Amino acid sequence: MADATEMSARSAGGTAPAALQRAFDSDIFYSFRNSPITMLAAVVTLLGFVGAIFAPWLATQNPFDLRTLNLMDASLPPAWVEGGEAKYLFGTDNQGRDVFSTILYGSRISLLVGVGSVLLALVLGVGLGLLSGYAGGSIDAFIMRVADVQLSFPAILIALLIDGITRAILPREAHDAAAVYVLILSIGASGWVQYARTVRGSTMVEKNKEYVQAARVIGRHPFAIMLRHVLPNVMGPVLVIATIHLAVAIITEATLSFLGVGVPPTQPSLGTLIRIGNNFLFSGEWWITVFPGAALVIMVLAVNLLGDWLRDALNPKLR
Amino acid sequence: MTSTRANRPLLEVRNLRVEFPTRRGTLVAVDDVSFHIDAGEVLGVVGESGAGKSLTGAAIIGLLEPPGRIAGGEVRLEDKRIDNLSAEHLRRIRGRQIGAVFQDPLTSLDPLFTVGQQLVETIMTHLDLSEAQARSRAIELLREVGIPGAERRIDHYPHQFSGGMRQRVVIALALCAQPRLIIADEPTTALDVSIQAQIITLLKRLCREHGAAVMLVTHDMGVIAETADRVAVMYAGRIAEIGPVGEVIRKPRHPYTIGLMGSIPKLDRAVARLVQIEGAMPRLTAIPTGCAFNPRCPKVFERCRHERPDLMPVETNHAACWLHAPTLAEATRG
Amino acid sequence: MIAYIIQRLLQSVLVMAAVGFVAFSLFAYVGDPITIMLGQDYNETERARLAAQLGLDRPFYVQFANFVANAVQGDFGISYRLARPVNAVIRERLPATLELSLIAAFLALAVGVPMGVYTGLKRDSWLSRFFLTVSLIGVSLPTFLIGILLILVFAVILGWLPSFGRGETVQLGWWTTGFFTKSGLKALILPSITLCLFQLTLIMRLVRSEMLEVLRTDYIKFARARGLRDRAVHFRHALRNTLVPVITIAGLQLGAIIAFAIITETVFQWPGMGLLFIQSVSATDIPVMAAYLCLISFVFVVINFVVDLLYYAVDPRLRVDRGAVGGHG
């Protein structure tokens, strides 16, 4: 009813301040304001990103720089426990790395890989979806077949495979240096299918509409027209997929690093930290595992909450 | 509007009000609607999309989807209130006393069960029959609605029927527990034009044979003209005019009805232009004060803008329009 | 019906062929088996002899044909790392993974589906909200972290359950099972819970959202309008329709469990194929990687095939009978 006019008005364009005003008035922002959990999740996510981006300024130590590590300070408990030092808030690991700083630097990697792979998957998936939906015929059939087959393999397996192959092809130093990019490639390449399917559906719907035929008659390339009309419609669901995919990507990177086939041990991410800490759980040095673990879970939980809220907010049927 | 007939009407709706609480305030989708249906008669309920016709039907059988709810008024079936019954009591009434036929036969039937299974389960829920008896009754019903080869087709799945056939099955399902009233919500809108007439004739004939009254909700005036005994014209959640179908069509009293009739092309008369009603039906968030039709009414005057008219008797019909206000000498209302 | 089966079979064969090709390419182009097996120092004669033995001097298609012929018989050559035949190594480790995966799959379905149905039917009860919150946390916890936490609580702090290994196993033919010993059963508990949790929450959320969708359909509305009892509406009509699409996803999830076993086996040092695979990735043990790839693909293909058959059996719309679509309006 009244909401429909708002939506169409928004997609029709308008001046920036007016658009912003409409955004604030919209149902989406309303449901955001009304859900304290979601707002908390958004704040946490924001903090996570800020912490990761500004890690060099926020951390007390650069754990990747071996020269700043002091082996004498290895395996210290958190500051509030007996034996700990104020300098090392969350304690240190077996190589003297400050856990707090490593969490900051580690989440850098986690977020970099997460966002990078989501972007890759999004671009790949949206592109292939558009192509598949628009071209139809055998191209469509082929792409969808590949998608079906890939969907039946868990992403982590594909990621492992790509990582294994690059590890075998590249010499060790090159692989270590490129590890982050390899991870982005492998996690991204294993996640494009969802995007492609959604976009393909929308594209096929739009393709049959009359304005596309009309555009052909005028001589304007219908593909450009469709981009202009398909993309706004499809951005909502794609955004939902991307948010949830971000959570999955972060977990996947952490898992790969935990398994030892992710980032090299000299550039630990949260997963690597947990792996290191795992070896010391039995001797009671719990902080090396617990704090990075908590940081990981909180981050992923916040992103998942945002994704859940986004999906409910964008689904007109659930209102 | 109280009935002064000798026989009690089958269904009485008094001052029904259906609301939707939203964050922008409460929307009133059905506003103080009253009418009655006698046993065996066909009442057409006609109006544009969004006029509140379907919601009225849903409210009567207690199938309003939340957050919609009945906020006032009564629904009486044979003079017993049904709108305030428990969920279980309402369930027993549905199908057994009041049946329903919805718009889209494609989606009304569960695709995973055969037509026979769906018929038998409905029959056995309401009537005290064995499964074998229910099944033969189901076959009988399928024959009645005109499905050829009923003994064979009873074990077919919905997707194995064409659209028109499926709607016949739906009608069979609505009638199988022998209800006294059928609420048919746009039963032919989703069908091919060539099939529509068949289905509507079938519906009318079967209801007459089974002694069921019909509340026929549609936007198609032609169907009403063919089928209904009386017709109620709804506008913006209110009844604008109600009366015998012939009278309402030939001699409409409410300016909205006049506009509606004028906008329908007729085969026997040549007109240069079809009559159009200026403007559009107001959205639920912006219903005008006074008479809901007043911004578009060609005969509007001051009173229309401030006071909302009740249904007033005008010869054979009732119209909610101040043009027909009783003179000071008349004391009766409604 | 037959056409459907044949089409599906053909597709499966194609997929296996593609996978085989990828696996073979691993063999042919990735890494240098000679160096891996002989080390850095080797002379030309040794290299030539090994090359001939491994068949590396033959043309590409011959090598591929050999590979396929061998693979179909289960022969993937010798593990670079362990210097033993690959299929023997895999056969040793397969039961461990399969037992773990089957139990985890059973748990995920047996708990996930009812929870999903409940939260779909009773949307606003406190139990539903509780389940949903727990499921959100479950989806946010990486599997390895769950394993570590469980070990921390139940093995380190409480000392009730073992933290690694399979316990004592009993040999039945070539299969080893942990079901018949107390220590074997105890060892199964933590890893199977760890493995099933992620899939459980996914299945629960999937079933719930399908259920909510179904409850909004016209046929459910019509079922209510016919006065059917709640039990019939929910469990006869709604549940059946919900489960049809769930079958496919559940099948995929089961395949995913076998893959996720990699993580669980690493955390719990469970001597299964997953752990073997990780070790072989780290060591670039191509034969084992290729064999694992082919085996896993085979399992997935079989699962998908079975799921397709199930779908066909359950959804009457897929069975287009001859001449049954009839009748005119």
Side-chain angles (χ1 to χ4, degrees):
Chain A
M1 294 177 280
D3 313 328
T5 26
E6 271 181 10
M7 297 281 277
S8 56
R10 215 182 306 142
S11 62
T15 59
L20 208 58
Q21 182 60 36
R22 278 198 299 272
F24 275 118
D25 273 342
S26 73
D27 275 333
I28 294 181
F29 199 67
Y30 177 80
S31 82
F32 182 76
R33 267 182 292 147
N34 254 20
S35 169
I37 294 262
T38 311
M39 293 179 74
L40 184 64
V43 166
V44 168
T45 311
L46 198 61
L47 280 178
F49 273 93
V50 163
I53 295 175
F54 293 106
W57 292 274
L58 291 170
T60 55
Q61 172 201 74
N62 181 351
F64 296 169
D65 188 349
L66 294 168
R67 293 164 300 180
T68 64
L69 300 181
N70 186 352
L71 263 178
M72 296 295 291
D73 286 335
S75 303
L76 290 173
W80 59 87
V81 172
E82 173 150 354
E85 289 180 25
K87 183 163 64 151
Y88 302 117
L89 182 60
F90 286 154
T92 58
D93 72 355
N94 64 329
Q95 297 200 10
R97 278 187 285 238
D98 173 35
V99 169
F100 175 68
S101 306
T102 320
I103 289 181
L104 282 177
Y105 274 84
S107 40
R108 248 191 175 190
I109 297 189
S110 300
L111 285 176
L112 181 63
V113 172
V115 172
S117 41
V118 165
L119 278 176
L120 176 63
L122 195 150
V123 167
L124 195 59
V126 169
L128 281 175
L130 278 174
L131 177 65
S132 194
Y134 182 72
S138 48
I139 298 183
D140 177 34
F142 177 70
I143 295 183
M144 280 302 112
R145 193 51 76 225
V146 171
D148 271 343
V149 167
Q150 184 171 325
L151 208 53
S152 56
F153 287 84
I156 195 158
L157 206 56
I158 300 180
L160 266 172
L161 199 66
I162 297 184
D163 189 87
I165 293 177
T166 45
R167 185 177 295 265
I169 294 181
L170 297 172
R172 195 190 178 89
E173 300 77 34
H175 183 264
D176 279 0
V180 168
Y181 300 103
V182 171
L183 275 175
I184 293 182
L185 176 66
S186 48
I187 300 178
S190 57
W192 63 271
V193 176
Q194 289 275 56
Y195 301 92
R197 276 198 173 162
T198 312
V199 172
R200 170 183 179 260
S202 289
T203 311
M204 286 184 0
V205 165
E206 294 297 309
K207 184 175 76 161
N208 289 328
K209 294 197 175 163
E210 284 108 2
Y211 68 85
V212 174
Q213 324 281 8
R216 270 212 194 95
V217 169
I218 303 178
R220 186 148 154 68
H221 201 291
F223 191 64
I225 297 258
M226 269 199 348
L227 263 175
R228 205 184 153 288
H229 287 266
V230 170
L231 281 184
N233 277 333
V234 102
M235 264 316 134
V238 164
L239 203 57
V240 173
I241 296 176
T243 320
I244 300 184
H245 189 213
L246 178 62
V248 169
I250 296 179
I251 291 188
T252 312
E253 181 275 321
T255 307
L256 288 176
S257 299
F258 174 80
L259 291 174
V261 292
V263 288
T266 47
Q267 293 176 28
S269 79
L270 293 174
T272 327
L273 266 182
I274 299 174
R275 168 203 179 85
I276 296 173
N278 196 24
N279 299 329
F280 297 99
L281 264 186
F282 285 92
S283 44
E285 288 159 29
W286 51 272
W287 54 90
I288 314 177
T289 301
V290 168
F291 289 118
L296 185 65
V297 172
I298 291 175
M299 189 68 202
V300 172
L301 189 58
V303 173
N304 267 332
L305 277 169
L306 272 180
D308 254 13
W309 163 79
L310 201 61
R311 180 180 45 213
D312 285 348
L314 285 174
N315 186 349
K317 291 186 248 170
L318 284 181
R319 282 202 226 131
Chain B
M1 187 178 91
T2 46
S3 170
T4 52
R5 297 172 195 277
N7 301 321
R8 211 175 38 208
L10 174 66
L11 180 81
E12 257 199 279
V13 174
R14 295 185 195 159
N15 311 108
L16 183 65
R17 192 178 160 88
V18 172
E19 286 179 353
F20 282 84
T22 68
R23 69 165 175 112
R24 294 175 206 272
T26 305
L27 300 178
V28 183
V30 176
D31 194 351
D32 199 19
V33 159
S34 304
F35 60 91
H36 67 92
I37 305 183
D38 293 321
E41 81 164 331
V42 177
L43 174 75
V45 178
V46 79
E48 301 171 46
S49 306
K53 340 183 273 295
S54 299
L55 285 173
T56 308
I60 292 175
I61 50 174
L63 278 188
L64 276 178
E65 289 190 17
R69 50 161 226 253
I70 299 183
E74 302 184 339
V75 179
R76 283 174 179 265
L77 185 66
E78 294 186 318
D79 212 30
K80 286 189 279 274
R81 274 191 76 172
I82 60 173
D83 56 290
N84 58 355
L85 291 181
S86 70
E88 175 59 18
H89 277 110
L90 260 177
R91 177 193 76 75
R92 288 201 214 127
I93 290 181
R94 278 186 236 126
R96 182 74 181 93
Q97 314 274 6
I98 306 182
V101 173
F102 296 128
Q103 175 173 328
D104 194 347
L106 194 67
T107 54
S108 287
L109 298 172
D110 188 330
L112 299 184
F113 290 86
T114 65
V115 154
Q117 285 169 316
Q118 302 190 48
L119 274 165
V120 165
E121 72 179 344
T122 314
I123 295 175
M124 287 180 72
T125 301
H126 293 289
L127 304 174
D128 196 12
L129 297 176
S130 74
E131 189 167 338
Q133 290 170 316
R135 188 180 159 88
S136 56
R137 186 171 156 69
I139 297 181
E140 213 20 70
L141 272 163
L142 284 180
R143 274 202 206 105
E144 268 189 80
V145 296
I147 309 267
E151 309 83 18
R152 205 174 30 95
R153 304 216 69 187
I154 190 175
D155 290 321
H156 281 179
Y157 290 91
H159 69 275
Q160 294 172 281
F161 291 80
S162 68
M165 285 285 157
R166 259 189 286 243
Q167 196 66 315
R168 291 171 189 255
V169 170
V170 167
I171 292 175
L173 274 164
L175 285 169
C176 67
Q178 298 161 323
R180 320 281 308 282
L181 168 68
I182 296 271
I183 299 182
D185 191 349
E186 309 266 12
T188 53
T189 310
L191 300 173
D192 280 346
V193 173
S194 51
I195 311 274
Q196 283 180 10
Q198 291 180 26
I199 298 296
I200 221 55
T201 319
L202 175 75
L203 184 64
K204 178 157 185 173
R205 175 171 62 81
L206 279 182
C207 289
R208 200 174 48 229
E209 282 171 12
H210 286 249
V214 181
M215 177 177 153
L216 181 57
V217 172
T218 179
H219 62 270
D220 187 339
M221 210 55 214
V223 165
I224 296 288
E226 283 276 327
T227 331
D229 301 314
R230 288 160 56 231
V231 63
V233 179
M234 283 190 75
Y235 184 79
R238 306 157 186 198
I239 295 188
E241 183 162 358
I242 182 168
V245 72
E247 294 300 314
V248 171
I249 290 184
R250 277 190 307 260
K251 285 196 264 174
R253 309 287 198 243
H254 192 288
Y256 175 63
T257 324
I258 297 174
L260 265 188
M261 298 306 145
S263 66
I264 298 173
K266 291 167 185 44
L267 283 178
D268 59 339
R269 221 178 307 156
V271 282
R273 285 187 69 141
L274 289 178
V275 171
Q276 247 187 10
I277 313 179
E278 289 288 322
M281 194 171 70
R283 280 204 293 266
L284 289 184
T285 45
I287 300 202
T289 46
C291 169
F293 188 60
N294 81 66
R296 308 166 68 192
C297 184
K299 306 216 182 108
V300 64
F301 52 93
E302 201 48 39
R303 190 176 187 189
C304 310
R305 292 190 237 271
H306 303 296
E307 281 181 67
R308 179 191 157 166
D310 291 321
L311 280 169
M312 292 169 239
V314 186
E315 295 178 33
T316 51
N317 307 352
H318 285 80
C321 179
W322 290 124
L323 286 172
H324 305 287
T327 63
L328 287 167
E330 293 176 24
T332 39
R333 272 221 292 135
Chain C
M1 167 91 183
I2 303 288
Y4 186 75
I5 296 185
I6 292 192
Q7 185 198 43
R8 283 279 171 260
L9 265 177
L10 227 61
Q11 199 172 313
S12 309
V13 167
L14 269 169
V15 171
M16 285 307 301
V19 168
F21 187 73
V22 170
F24 172 71
S25 309
L26 280 182
F27 262 111
Y29 295 115
V30 174
D32 183 7
I34 310 271
T35 316
I36 297 177
M37 288 182 88
L38 291 181
Q40 294 288 356
D41 313 304
Y42 52 84
N43 60 41
E44 206 35 53
T45 358
E46 282 178 354
R47 195 200 80 81
R49 187 161 52 88
L50 193 54
Q53 190 180 21
L54 293 175
L56 294 175
D57 47 353
R58 307 277 201 51
F60 180 83
Y61 55 87
V62 175
Q63 289 191 44
F64 186 49
N66 280 338
F67 175 79
V68 171
N70 287 334
V72 167
Q73 294 174 49
D75 177 11
F76 282 93
I78 315 278
S79 155
Y80 296 162
R81 182 172 64 98
L82 301 169
R84 293 173 56 205
V86 170
N87 55 2
V89 175
I90 289 195
R91 195 183 304 182
E92 265 173 25
R93 322 273 278 205
L94 191 61
T97 301
L98 280 183
E99 263 189 12
L100 184 60
S101 305
L102 284 172
I103 301 226
F106 173 74
L107 279 176
L109 283 174
V111 178
V113 171
M115 270 172 79
V117 170
Y118 180 81
T119 50
L121 286 178
K122 297 226 189 295
R123 289 183 69 175
D124 298 316
S125 78
W126 65 266
L127 195 59
S128 282
R129 284 192 219 270
F130 175 70
F131 281 156
L132 281 175
T133 316
V134 167
S135 84
L136 196 56
I137 300 182
V139 165
S140 311
L141 279 173
T143 310
F144 66 90
L145 208 53
I146 298 177
I148 294 178
L149 278 173
L150 284 178
I151 291 181
L152 190 60
V153 170
F154 288 98
V156 177
I157 297 182
L158 291 175
W160 289 350
L161 297 167
S163 62
F164 64 91
R166 270 182 95 187
E168 286 164 43
T169 55
V170 170
Q171 187 99 18
L172 296 170
W174 65 272
W175 189 275
T176 51
T177 174
F179 278 130
F180 296 131
T181 58
K182 196 159 161 217
S183 68
L185 282 171
K186 275 171 101 169
L188 264 173
I189 296 182
L190 288 184
S192 48
I193 294 182
T194 307
L195 187 53
C196 84
L197 268 176
F198 197 75
Q199 306 303 327
L200 194 156
T201 46
L202 276 178
I203 289 182
M204 185 193 108
R205 301 181 113 213
L206 173 71
V207 169
R208 175 178 182 267
S209 81
E210 277 300 321
M211 192 82 187
L212 290 177
E213 278 284 327
V214 164
L215 286 174
R216 269 199 292 265
T217 55
D218 277 349
Y219 55 83
I220 292 294
K221 189 166 83 159
F222 190 49
R224 288 217 179 94
R226 286 183 275 145
L228 297 183
R229 291 187 187 86
D230 270 358
R231 200 170 17 112
V233 172
H234 292 156
F235 293 104
R236 205 166 120 92
H237 291 277
L239 187 59
R240 274 257 254 159
N241 277 277
T242 304
L243 289 182
V244 168
V246 165
I247 288 180
T248 323
I249 314 281
L252 293 181
Q253 298 298 75
L254 266 35
I257 283 188
I258 298 186
F260 272 82
I262 296 176
I263 306 170
T264 309
E265 290 178 17
T266 308
V267 172
F268 287 90
Q269 293 295 299
W270 190 265
M273 279 191 331
L275 189 56
L276 179 68
F277 182 65
I278 281 292
Q279 291 163 340
S280 59
V281 168
S282 297
T284 328
D285 189 353
I286 302 285
V288 175
M289 279 171 69
Y292 183 83
L293 187 64
C294 288
L295 187 60
I296 287 283
S297 312
F298 182 69
V299 168
F300 286 167
V301 159
V302 166
I303 290 181
N304 276 347
F305 187 68
V306 169
V307 162
D308 280 341
L309 287 183
L310 266 177
Y311 221 98
Y312 188 86
V314 159
D315 189 344
R317 286 167 290 189
L318 290 177
R319 301 174 234 150
V320 180
D321 295 354
R322 310 140 262 148
V325 182
H328 317 281

